[in-house]
């Protein structure tokens, strides 16, 4: 018997009943509020809910969709929700799933960003963030471990992950080049050693089945998910208009060099030119928002990541924090409308960041659905997933440097931050504590140490 009292045989031998749009809507809304833990945690939640518990989609179909989302620029967890929603309930199902994955986080981050920028200099707030920053470093490291434990199934994939880390950390190669090289290795490897590049093991259970699924391994692709040139043309046209209209209005009202216009353009590029999900995007966002445009400081960027880690939704929602702080500090609507400017900018950058994600899924999904049994398509995606692990590890090193040597290597080593980071890592890795619990404990520890030790 399962928890609901349904006989196990019925649970595993027969697929679940068809899922109504309303039932799916309520699930995606719930997911938007409980999807903590960054992309690794969010993917784990979706896997547990959709594959193991509800059996809306099979293990292999889930992983095939995940590998496609991993190769796309943008937040893979949000794209995965959009993909499954689209597969189940057509375009509106995908749009609803993707929007509800993001909306709660946007509203919460607007509120938290205002508290941060308006009251961040208070000792209480500063002390809390002093403890949160080392925890963020440990969380990013854990993300690399969790994704790696799913994706790195053999020595070949481990080698790809190691090479990607060296390429981005030591050689400073652009991530698109790393992705292209991994895809090529996967394509060739899929022909030479196909067993090493098969999908289905990203969760460490390639042959595990949780019973018959609504969308099972051999369930025919639904009619709306089959490729048609007419549908592709319609989606491309709609996407171009949804980008061009707001960008044109921003340019008309504020000029091309206005802060809001430049935010729209920069985050469009971030959405299109960066790969590997939030952890791979963040160094690019840091470089542009902090070093090039000066919308916020390095410390504020790390604080923004901390806020992103403590809210549900995709971690790339840190862009809402970047937009809010940049527009608030620059008073783009004047000194009497600081909150309005921040909220408008946060919403704006969220629009430009996530619009391509919806287009990639709605336009590319039919092609991917046609390849879920074709190794020559799946092997490159498997190799790319392995390469992303190395990039995430690079991000952990990136944040660790800024937290442990806040004034650079020439300055003092922050041993208290190091102890907090070590304690967070032990809690996450050894005791498997919840991310939110770890952040809360580290925040309180940081506040206490800031007030009574430092």
């Amino acid at each position: 018997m399962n928890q609901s009292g349904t006989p196990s045989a019925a649970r595993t031998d027969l697929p679940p009943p068809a899922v109504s749009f309303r039932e799916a809507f309520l699930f995606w809304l719930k997911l938007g509020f409980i999807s903590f833990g960054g992309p690794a945690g969010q993917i784990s939640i979706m896997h547990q809910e959709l594959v193991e518990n509800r059996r809306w989609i099979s293990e292999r179909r889930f992983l095939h969709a995940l590998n496609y989302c991993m190769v796309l620029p943008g937040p893979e967890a949000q794209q995965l929700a959009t993909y499954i929603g689209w597969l189940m309930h057509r375009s509106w199902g995908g749009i609803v799933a993707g929007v509800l994955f993001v909306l709660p986080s946007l509203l919460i981050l607007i509120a938290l960003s205002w508290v941060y920028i308006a009251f961040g200099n208070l000792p209480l707030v500063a002390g809390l963030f002093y403890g949160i920053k080392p925890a963020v470093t440990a969380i990013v490291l854990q993300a690399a471990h969790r994704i790696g434990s799913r994706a790195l199934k053999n020595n070949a994939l481990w080698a790809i992950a190691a090479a990607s880390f060296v390429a981005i950390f030591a050689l400073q190669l652009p991530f698109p080049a790393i992705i292209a090289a991994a895809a090529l290795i996967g394509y060739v490897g899929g022909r030479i050693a196909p067993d090493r590049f098969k999908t289905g093991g990203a969760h460490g259970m390639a042959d595990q089945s949780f019973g018959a699924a609504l969308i099972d391994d051999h369930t025919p692709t639904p009619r709306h998910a089959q490729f048609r040139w007419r549908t592709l043309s319609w989606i491309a046209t709609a996407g171009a208009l949804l980008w061009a209209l707001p960008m044109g209005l921003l340019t008309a009202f504020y000029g091309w060099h206005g802060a809001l216009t430049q935010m729209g353009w920069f985050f469009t590029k971030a959405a299109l030119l960066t790969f590997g999900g939030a952890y791979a995007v963040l160094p690019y966002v840091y470089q542009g928002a902090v070093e090039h445009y000066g919308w916020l400081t390095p410390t504020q960027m790390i604080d923004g990541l901390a806020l992103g880690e403590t809210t549900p939704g995709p971690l790339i929602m840190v862009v809402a924090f970047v937009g809010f702080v940049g527009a608030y500090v620059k008073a783009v609507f004047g000194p009497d409308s600081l909150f309005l400017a921040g909220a408008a900018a946060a919403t704006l950058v969220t629009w430009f960041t996530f619009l391509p994600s919806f287009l990639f899924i709605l336009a590319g999904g039919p092609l991917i659905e046609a390849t879920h049994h074709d190794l020559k398509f799946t092997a490159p995606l498997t190799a790319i997933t392995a390469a992303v692990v190395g990039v995430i590890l690079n991000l952990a090193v990136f944040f660790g440097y800024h937290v442990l040597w806040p004034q650079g290597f020439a300055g003092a080593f922050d041993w208290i931050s190091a102890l907090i980071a070590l304690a967070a890592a032990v809690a996450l890795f050894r005791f498997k504590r919840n991310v939110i619990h770890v952040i809360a404990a580290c925040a309180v520890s940081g506040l206490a140490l800031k007030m009574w030790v430092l």
Side-chain angles (χ1 to χ4, degrees):
M1 302 284 282
N2 64 11
Q3 292 180 348
S4 64
T6 304
S8 298
R11 186 175 70 88
T12 58
D13 294 345
L14 298 174
V19 179
S20 68
F21 188 88
R22 179 181 180 276
E23 184 180 354
F25 179 94
L26 293 175
F27 170 76
W28 298 123
L29 178 62
K30 170 190 171 183
L31 183 65
F33 282 99
I34 67 171
S35 56
F36 291 94
Q42 292 152 4
I43 291 168
S44 293
I45 290 172
M46 280 191 281
H47 185 272
Q48 183 177 28
E49 287 285 339
L50 298 177
V51 178
E52 299 179 34
N53 297 341
R54 300 171 186 264
R55 293 183 294 123
W56 288 0
I57 188 169
S58 71
E59 169 82 4
R60 290 186 181 273
R61 295 289 281 268
F62 180 91
L63 292 177
H64 186 68
L66 173 60
N67 281 344
Y68 173 55
C69 296
M70 291 290 279
V71 72
L72 292 174
E76 66 270 25
Q78 184 265 349
Q79 290 166 337
L80 180 60
T82 305
Y83 191 107
I84 296 173
W86 160 79
L87 194 58
M88 294 181 64
H89 293 109
R90 310 173 66 90
S91 295
W92 278 113
I95 292 170
V96 165
V99 169
L100 291 179
F101 199 88
V102 171
L103 188 59
S105 178
L106 173 62
L107 298 177
I108 294 170
L109 270 175
I110 287 175
L112 291 179
S113 299
W114 175 73
V115 171
Y116 171 84
I117 200 66
F119 305 105
N121 291 327
L122 296 179
L124 172 64
V125 178
L128 291 172
F129 274 93
Y130 179 77
I132 288 174
K133 291 172 191 175
V136 168
T137 302
I139 289 167
V140 176
L141 184 63
Q142 187 210 29
H145 175 265
R146 293 181 69 178
I147 297 175
S149 66
R150 297 190 193 101
L152 307 182
K153 306 186 296 292
N154 54 59
N155 291 338
L157 298 178
W158 271 99
I160 292 173
S164 73
F165 174 79
V166 172
I168 197 168
F169 177 78
L171 305 180
Q172 297 182 342
L173 295 180
F175 192 71
I178 297 172
I179 284 290
L184 179 61
I185 292 172
Y187 179 78
V188 175
R191 290 174 173 268
I192 297 175
D195 288 342
R196 293 182 176 272
F197 292 89
K198 285 183 178 178
T199 57
H203 289 266
M205 37 194 160
D207 299 316
Q208 186 165 351
S209 173
F210 299 93
L214 192 63
I215 303 173
D216 219 331
D217 292 353
H218 301 289
T219 300
T221 300
R223 182 175 174 80
H224 73 269
Q226 296 173 2
F227 178 78
R228 292 180 179 83
W229 283 108
R230 181 180 178 182
T231 303
L232 179 60
S233 299
W234 185 89
I235 292 171
T237 302
L241 290 174
L242 290 171
W243 180 86
L245 288 176
M247 183 60 72
L249 290 173
L250 288 172
T251 304
F253 279 99
Y254 301 106
W256 178 250
H257 295 289
L260 294 180
T261 310
Q262 285 299 298
M263 285 182 183
W265 177 236
F266 172 73
F267 286 106
T268 295
K269 293 187 292 182
L272 293 173
L273 301 179
T274 52
F275 296 80
Y279 290 108
V281 172
L282 288 173
Y284 177 83
V285 173
Y286 175 93
Q287 184 182 41
V290 176
E291 298 177 356
H292 182 71
Y293 292 103
W295 292 327
L296 71 174
T297 67
T299 298
Q300 288 173 333
M301 183 69 192
I302 298 176
D303 292 342
L305 179 60
L307 288 179
E309 289 281 9
T310 59
T311 56
L315 185 57
I316 195 57
M317 282 303 297
V318 70
V319 301
F321 175 86
V322 172
F324 188 100
V325 172
Y328 188 103
V329 170
K330 292 184 178 295
V332 296
F333 290 165
D336 297 325
S337 302
L338 297 179
F339 176 81
L340 180 60
T347 304
L348 182 76
V349 302
T350 300
W351 173 268
F352 284 108
T353 299
F354 285 91
L355 177 61
S357 292
F358 287 95
L359 299 178
F360 288 139
I361 297 303
L362 298 180
L367 294 173
I368 297 304
E369 275 301 299
T371 65
H372 61 82
H373 292 300
D374 195 335
L375 184 62
K376 68 175 179 288
F377 288 99
T378 61
L381 300 183
T382 301
I384 289 167
T385 304
V388 167
V389 176
V391 175
I392 297 173
L393 181 60
N394 170 72
L395 189 67
V397 174
F398 173 83
F399 281 123
Y401 163 73
H402 284 281
V403 169
L404 302 181
W405 286 274
Q407 282 81 44
F409 283 128
F413 177 77
D414 191 337
W415 62 272
I416 293 180
S417 291
L419 290 176
I420 295 175
L422 179 61
V426 171
L428 291 167
F429 285 93
R430 175 65 178 84
F431 296 103
K432 312 296 183 184
R433 302 302 301 177
N434 182 277
V435 168
I436 301 302
H437 296 163
V438 171
I439 289 177
C442 290
V444 172
S445 301
L447 177 61
L449 291 168
K450 195 77 170 176
M451 293 179 65
W452 293 306
V453 178
L454 300 180

